[in-house]
Amino acid sequence: MSGKEKQTSRKLRFILDALLSLILLLAVFVALSSRMANREVTRFRRAEKAALVGPSEILDRIDVREEWPSVNYDRLLIGDDGEEILFYLISENGNGFLWRREKTDGILLTPLYNVNWVFGTPRRRDGVLPLFLFSDEPEAVRAEVQIRLSDTFRLELSQVRGKAAAGEETVRERYFLFSVPLPVSRSSAQAQLMQELAATNQITFSSGEFPAVIRLYDGEDQLLETREYTIRSRHAG
């Protein structure tokens, strides 16, 4: 074997060794992630039993994103119990807290749990408020949502289930996830209204109520349902 052939052989071995190492590292990462996810599901099931609910159908497991407002947990496990949506909030140390929201005739429209971005520290100035829409209508593919925050401030949202929104890395097949842009100025009237909207999904009592209109469409973009809905705190009924 010539010197040039030996050099080529060494390069090939180096590339193959590097690829093998990368594959092994990836396999270890997947195994560790799967083990962690299984532990979280086990803890979620225990929390369900303690609350005398479930077992629910697990819809998703989400990492809290940088563009979302500040919250005191790192991951979110979502379950559907038929009458309720169960949010299991998981901190970095693995501790969890179960938060339940009841559907109204098969629909729940609610912001992210326990948001505090006006008085807390926002993650990014171009942040968004996540707004979740759960519907028992299996044929619903697209959703339009109109929310009246005041006489002069309304949100007009649209989302296709099964397609990622701009900036999203994953596809939400089982529910609609809207990303509502947050006002840049945290002291503005619009920012205060957004904070009041976010407060409707907190453990503390919130008297804020925001009327909404939800329209659901099928895969051929035919209107399935128009629903008048009110976003309000769990404690407000």
Side-chain angles (χ1 to χ4, degrees), residues 209-234:
E209 294 189 352
F210 300 95
V213 176
I214 301 169
R215 294 183 176 88
L216 301 175
Y217 299 83
D218 65 14
E220 297 181 352
D221 215 29
Q222 297 296 312
L223 181 64
L224 294 171
E225 180 183 3
T226 299
R227 176 81 64 88
E228 292 186 357
Y229 188 92
T230 301
I231 303 173
R232 57 165 63 94
S233 166
R234 186 180 79 172

Side-chain angles (χ1 to χ4, degrees), residues 47-113:
E48 284 184 312
K49 288 182 179 179
L52 302 179
V53 296
S56 64
E57 178 184 3
I58 295 178
L59 302 183
D60 206 354
R61 178 178 176 271
I62 311 175
D63 290 327
V64 172
R65 303 174 189 170
E66 284 298 315
E67 67 269 22
W68 289 6
S70 296
V71 292
N72 58 355
Y73 50 93
D74 299 280
R75 280 178 302 285
L76 186 63
L77 199 153
I78 304 174
D80 188 341
D81 191 32
E83 299 297 322
E84 292 180 319
I85 295 295
L86 310 179
F87 297 97
Y88 189 59
L89 318 166
I90 307 164
S91 61
E92 188 175 359
N93 61 15
N95 292 331
F97 171 72
L98 186 65
W99 180 248
R100 299 155 56 186
R101 292 302 307 266
E102 188 175 356
K103 299 177 190 175
T104 301
D105 296 328
I107 284 182
L108 173 64
L109 178 61
T110 184
L112 183 69
Y113 171 78

Side-chain angles (χ1 to χ4, degrees), residues 3-167:
K4 187 174 181 181
E5 289 174 335
K6 290 181 179 178
Q7 186 177 9
T8 301
S9 178
R10 283 197 297 269
K11 287 181 178 179
L12 287 174
R13 285 200 302 270
F14 175 79
I15 293 172
L16 290 173
D17 288 344
L19 286 174
L20 180 59
S21 297
L22 182 61
I23 292 171
L24 289 174
L25 286 173
L26 181 60
V28 170
F29 174 77
V30 169
L32 290 175
S33 298
S34 177
R35 186 180 302 174
M36 181 176 65
N38 289 336
R39 284 201 300 265
E40 291 173 351
V41 170
T42 299
R43 291 173 178 173
F44 171 58
R45 294 305 187 196
R46 290 173 182 167
E48 284 184 312
K49 288 182 179 179
L52 302 179
V53 296
S56 64
E57 178 184 3
I58 295 178
L59 302 183
D60 206 354
R61 178 178 176 271
I62 311 175
D63 290 327
V64 172
R65 303 174 189 170
E66 284 298 315
E67 67 269 22
W68 289 6
S70 296
V71 292
N72 58 355
Y73 50 93
D74 299 280
R75 280 178 302 285
L76 186 63
L77 199 153
I78 304 174
D80 188 341
D81 191 32
E83 299 297 322
E84 292 180 319
I85 295 295
L86 310 179
F87 297 97
Y88 189 59
L89 318 166
I90 307 164
S91 61
E92 188 175 359
N93 61 15
N95 292 331
F97 171 72
L98 186 65
W99 180 248
R100 299 155 56 186
R101 292 302 307 266
E102 188 175 356
K103 299 177 190 175
T104 301
D105 296 328
I107 284 182
L108 173 64
L109 178 61
T110 184
L112 183 69
Y113 171 78
N114 204 29
V115 166
N116 186 358
W117 65 274
V118 170
F119 304 106
T121 302
R123 293 169 176 264
R124 290 184 359 191
R125 289 182 63 82
D126 60 342
V128 298
L129 176 67
L131 193 66
F132 297 87
L133 172 61
F134 302 91
S135 171
D136 288 347
E137 174 53 69
E139 300 300 321
V141 172
R142 184 168 68 89
E144 291 180 349
V145 176
Q146 300 170 325
I147 305 172
R148 183 167 63 85
L149 299 181
S150 72
D151 291 338
T152 58
F153 184 28
R154 302 184 180 216
L155 300 176
E156 302 279 346
L157 309 170
S158 181
Q159 178 67 53
V160 175
R161 182 155 58 183
K163 288 187 178 180

